[in-house]
Amino acid sequence: MDHPIVEPNMYAIKAMLILDGDGNRLIAKYYDETFPLVKEQKTFERNLFNKTSKGSGEIILIDGLTCVYKSNVDLFFYVIGSNKVNELLLTQTLTCLYESVQKVLGKCFEKRVFMDNLGSIFLILDEIVDSGIVCETDSRSVIQRASIRTEEQQPLGEQTVAQVLLSAKEQLKWSLLK
Amino acid sequence: MAYAGKRGDKKDDETAGNPYANLDRTTVLQEARIFNETPVNVRKCSAVASKILYMLNQGEVLSVREATTFFFAITKLFQSQDVNLRRLVFLCIKELCKVAEDVIIVTSSLMKDMTGKEEGYRAAAIRALCLIVDPQMLQSMERYMKQAIVDKSPAVASAALVSSLHIATRSGAGLDIVKRWGNEIQEAATNENPMVQYHALGLLYQIRRGDRLAVNKLIAKFTAGRHLKSPLAVCLLVQMVSKTIQEEALQGTVTASLFDFLESCLRHKNEMVVYESAQALVNLRHSTGRDLGPAISVLQLFCSSSKPTIRYTAVRTLSQVAMTHPAAVTACNMDLENLITDSNRSIATLAITTLLKTGNENNVDRLMKQISSFMNDISDEFKVVVVSAVRALCFKFPKKHTLMMSYLATMLREEGGYEFKKALIDTLIIIVEDNQDAKESGLTHLCEFIEDCEHVNLAVRILALLGREGPKTKQPAKYIRYIYNRVILENAAVRSAAVTAMAKFGAYCPDLKSNIMVLLKRCMMDQDDEVRDRATYYFYILDSQQSGLYNNFILSHLQVSIVSLERALQTYISNTTHQEPFDMRSVPISAEPLTVEDKKLLRDEIQGARAEVGREEARAAKTGATGAAPTTAAVSAADMYVEQLQKIPQIAALGPLFKSSLPTQLTETETEYVVKCIKHTFEKDIVLQFDCINTLNDQILEKVYVQVESPDSAFVVDGTIHCPSLPHNQPGTTYTRVRIPPDEVAATAAFTSVLKFVVKDCDPATGEVESEEGYDDEYVLEDVEVTLADHMQKTIVPNFAAAWDEFGNDSEHQGTYGMNQYKNVQDAVDNLVRFFGMQPLDKSEKVPGDKNTHLLLLSGVFRGGFSVLVKCKLVLSDSGVAMMLQVRSESPEVNEAIIQSM
């Protein structure tokens, strides 16, 4: 049998997902009509999470889709493509997504801080993939283009009083614990 | 914003009010009022914008009015010059523009941002803008787009290129506009930035893909220069080259330099490119036959990579190769064996299945053991893949069935979804039916499985199988207990299947009959109608003591297509007289009942698994869909003909359709006129259907018909139905009716056939006729042959010996033939099955080993509804194969016709 002739295609990414430690959706971007209904998307996410949350590995074939994934504490990152797509492209995209988010969150790479920076995360996703086409695979460019102020650059004056207080409280608690 | 030094207790984090918890559109809509305040409070507005995005992302669906309200609120934020906020505004616009109305009003603001000085949001503005504009508006902003494509900022250039690509793929009008930017895109392709290169190359291909010459130029330019820095761009180029090679291969002219390019990419420093080209080379192999060696050795290296994804890609590609060229993969067997213990289950499973495909009889045992050690951990989809690999293996090494069987049985007992269980049961059923030695143990395993089976579907299938195969085993009695247990414990669907299965035992095994009748009698008290009806029905048939009835009403099932039966019954009901009883013979017999069709499909798949790449994967992807669809398609082909023919009054008058043959080509496929013929057999006539295609674009054919003649036989041509007009490339159909001579002896004939028509010249472009005057012409076709098979339908007789005896010696005709053209028995059997067009029974179509004698059993229904049974005794001697033929049927004429046609 001859292979059907494959049309060169830049629309490689079907979806990018970020789920929390219980498999709930934090951010989900679907770029084509594989799962047209929200209900189908959530079922797929649940299914994907169940299969990937405990096992090791970074790639899985599920419902005929190739999914690459990576996690940290209570954040799970997924990039999904068809089973025809170059898997290494998916991995590269995932790495870019992961590193960009890491740069934004800094040392506190976990859900709560993630939620605090949700706006920036949306911008990151927008820079990495546009309607299924990979736009950027270098996390430094992504951060720069999304014009996100990472923590080092943030002037103290920009923090609200509440934030400063909270921060002080945390540090005090930490020193007491010692 | 994040801040350093926060080391909180996790519990606190969870409870400290998450602003995004429990958002709903009413509250967010309330909060969005803050957008109206001046001056804009950047921090608060950003937070609300994020909330809107988050809410939409969670799947909240807005009405058009709500979306429009949000949209207009957000446009207020254009007052603020804060970069981050503006970017969030763009994102909201992109999300809302799908639902909201009047989104067009932001065009000018976006255009300003796109061309403005602020680097931070130019690219994002382009993306948002291109999502909103239609091709008409696009013309007015063409200038800006061209500038953006060659902008010195890579972000802007990329955004412009990608957006152009979206526009070009969205609509034809968009594509036409983007085509005008060719020069700018060319320039962008030489940009220093790798991503810009990639996007430009993709867009160049998109606007030129219709024009093969232009694509070839594009490829030549970029393969020669080696100035593509971006690995992504090179991958794209590899895909283009691979597509071009495949297209060229179809025409038989492959440019060698393209191959050299692919092979050079195997040495690229980026793994993504290496993999892309290896994959391309492996897939090309089928059309070109170049050496796979270099690609395979690259994949072999990948097998020992530290990155799971790379190992996965390697083993996945190798498993594809293994389906067509197991030998090529053997070199990697050692590496694959190491991967069996891989921590990533997907990799381990693929490694195993690949090894199973390339494996030999000796190491199968070891592999199977390894599989069972990790079956529990893998996903159902992969389990199905493993099962189908095992199934293929069973056919490759029939002697290993004990091992396979026990392995499959263990899997049956394990956890798993319906698809997985179904794959297992399918496999077991095929083994049981095909492998005599494995039958008993297989049935026992299946019996144990239905003791605790949650899937009604599977239980019913197994019970049907038990009914079919169980009575023929040495100790049929032992299955009765399992079956009767189902009657006691299960729901109505399973109970009725069990009753049917029991009845079959009763009908087949005389010594079990009295016991079965006792059990059936108990079932007659069942609370379900269907179960009760079946039990009563079977009980009274068994009670009648007539073996003929057993055969017709218990052992064999309905052999007509359900759709045709429904149609025939409807005609009967609407016919008001009801003087005569409904005649079952008027219903066309379906070629083969569904179950057989199903099995065929699976069997084809097994053969396919050896010969075809990609199938397996498709199965893994869509395990559900493949099972049912082709079956229904096969069944409906016959029904489709019936429907088609019923519409033609001359043909509808001939009565019910008995059989339609498969299409035969009467021309070469690449001639001026392509004609194929389908023979429809009726009770007294044959209708020849000619499907014609006119491949000449400067001609229209009119009054098309096929003239057939058969000087040597008694067949009479009885009329034709013309095809009035046959334009270029539109299929047309003409029919010729032939009356079958009333004496049954002459069943076969050969017809010479000539396509006759009036030619009119026409304009190739518009198809308009240029001159009204045409001229007669003709075109000689290959002969149409009516064979014995056209008069015969396949039927399945469950108990051949009983049916044979029932006809008795009086209705038998015999003949002895020498067939010197066959050098072995299997060839002779294959040809006989094809010649008679009858159903081989009891697996007699397969000659076991190299035996010199064989008994072929066939059953069918002759035109007019006469059942026919045939026994062929074949003996191989030095001079060829000798055959003794015995035919039994209800009609001596039919026997004569069959004997004569030999």
Side-chain angles (χ1 to χ4, degrees), chain B residues 333-348:
Chain B
N333 272 3
M334 283 302 287
D335 307 79
L336 287 172
E337 286 198 21
N338 289 336
L339 291 181
I340 291 178
T341 48
D342 200 289
S343 59
N344 184 316
R345 290 304 174 201
S346 302
I347 295 174

Side-chain angles (χ1 to χ4, degrees), chain B residues 130-161:
Chain B
C130 288
L131 206 62
I132 292 174
V133 294
D134 54 29
Q136 256 179 341
M137 289 165 62
L138 190 62
Q139 283 175 336
S140 63
M141 52 180 273
E142 246 188 298
R143 191 161 56 91
Y144 303 117
M145 282 304 284
K146 283 191 195 170
Q147 278 169 5
I149 288 174
V150 292
D151 197 281
K152 62 178 189 307
S153 151
V156 174
S158 270
L161 288 165

Side-chain angles (χ1 to χ4, degrees), chain A residues 1-12 25-29 38 41-42 47 51 56-66 68-69 73-74 83-89 91-92 104-108 110-113 115-120 122-124 126-127 130-137 145-149 151 154 158-160 163 166-167 170-171 173-174, chain B residues 1-10 12-14 16 18-20 43 50 53-54 57-59 82-84 87-88 91 94-95 120 124 127 154-155 158 162-163 165-166 169 193 195 198-199 202-203 205 209 232 235-236 239-240 243 246-247 250 270-272 275-276 283 286-287 302 307-310 312-313 316 320 343-344 346-347 379-382 611-613 617 620-621:
Chain A
M1 185 193 81
D2 268 347
H3 265 261
I5 294 176
V6 181
E7 183 66 27
N9 189 357
M10 307 227 326
Y11 291 87
R25 172 193 287 193
L26 296 178
I27 291 187
K29 279 278 185 196
V38 178
Q41 295 175 356
K42 296 243 163 134
N47 195 1
K51 294 224 162 97
S56 59
E58 59 181 46
I59 183 161
I60 187 171
L61 186 68
I62 191 165
D63 296 346
L65 303 172
T66 310
V68 292
Y69 56 98
V73 195
D74 51 3
N83 61 1
K84 302 255 171 357
V85 77
N86 190 326
E87 290 86 346
L88 301 178
L89 174 62
T91 322
Q92 207 170 51
V104 173
L105 303 191
K107 293 182 193 99
C108 315
E110 55 182 353
K111 179 180 167 188
R112 178 168 157 187
V113 188
M115 291 310 279
D116 291 341
N117 290 281
L118 205 58
S120 309
F122 275 116
L123 295 184
I124 287 175
D126 185 49
E127 286 294 340
D130 180 9
S131 310
I133 296 181
V134 180
C135 287
E136 186 52 71
T137 53
R145 287 184 192 177
S147 22
I148 291 158
R149 286 154 292 201
E151 51 181 88
Q154 190 182 17
E158 288 265 319
Q159 291 190 10
T160 59
Q163 271 179 330
L166 191 65
S167 159
E170 297 273 353
Q171 287 195 355
K173 207 158 67 181
W174 189 246
Chain B
M1 290 290 131
Y3 38 89
K6 192 191 77 72
R7 296 184 188 86
D9 184 1
K10 229 181 149 257
D12 277 352
D13 280 3
E14 295 295 332
N18 174 0
Y20 295 99
R43 204 178 49 78
S50 299
L53 285 171
Y54 181 78
N57 204 269
Q58 288 297 314
D82 183 86
V83 178
N84 252 9
R87 297 281 317 267
L88 287 174
L91 283 186
K94 286 212 284 192
E95 289 295 326
R127 284 198 288 265
S158 270
V162 173
S163 300
L165 188 58
H166 294 325
T169 32
N193 183 289
M195 288 318 283
Y198 169 57
H199 295 139
L203 184 54
Y205 177 76
R209 54 186 259 193
L232 284 171
C235 284
L236 196 62
Q239 289 174 8
M240 292 179 201
K243 184 183 173 223
Q246 277 174 319
E247 282 173 348
L250 287 180
N270 189 298
E271 280 159 338
M272 197 194 302
Y275 169 59
E276 188 75 50
N283 288 344
H286 309 287
S287 38
F302 273 18
K307 295 181 198 158
T309 309
I310 292 188
Y312 176 85
T313 57
R316 203 177 79 110
Q320 286 171 2
S343 59
N344 184 316
S346 302
I347 295 174
S379 71
D380 267 15
E381 276 148 62
F382 272 115
E612 286 180 23
V613 176
E617 231 181 293

Side-chain angles (χ1 to χ4, degrees), chain B residues 25 64 92 107 272 342 372 374 423 444 463 492 654 659 729 749 753 829 869 895:
Chain B
R25 39 197 164 165
V64 177
C92 291
T107 320
M272 197 194 302
D342 200 289
S372 27
F374 72 84
T444 317
L463 284 168
L654 298 179
K659 181 182 184 175
N729 250 349
S753 57
V829 167
L869 298 176
N895 289 354

Side-chain angles (χ1 to χ4, degrees), chain B residues 182-233:
Chain B
N183 288 335
E184 283 76 14
I185 304 171
Q186 284 266 21
E187 197 183 323
T190 55
N191 193 305
E192 280 296 294
N193 183 289
M195 288 318 283
V196 178
Q197 272 182 14
Y198 169 57
H199 295 139
L201 182 67
L203 184 54
L204 276 179
Y205 177 76
Q206 180 66 29
I207 58 178
R208 294 181 183 182
R209 54 186 259 193
D211 177 358
R212 190 182 287 180
L213 215 62
V215 172
N216 286 349
K217 265 195 205 156
L218 183 71
I219 289 175
K221 183 174 167 211
F222 285 99
T223 51
R226 315 264 143 151
H227 48 246
L228 283 179
K229 280 201 306 186
S230 152
L232 284 171

Side-chain angles (χ1 to χ4, degrees), chain B residues 48 60 74 90 132 134 526 644 722 737 800:
Chain B
V48 177
E60 187 85 36
I74 277 168
F90 292 157
I132 292 174
D134 54 29
D526 197 282
Q644 205 177 332
H722 294 227
R737 201 172 97 205
F800 186 89

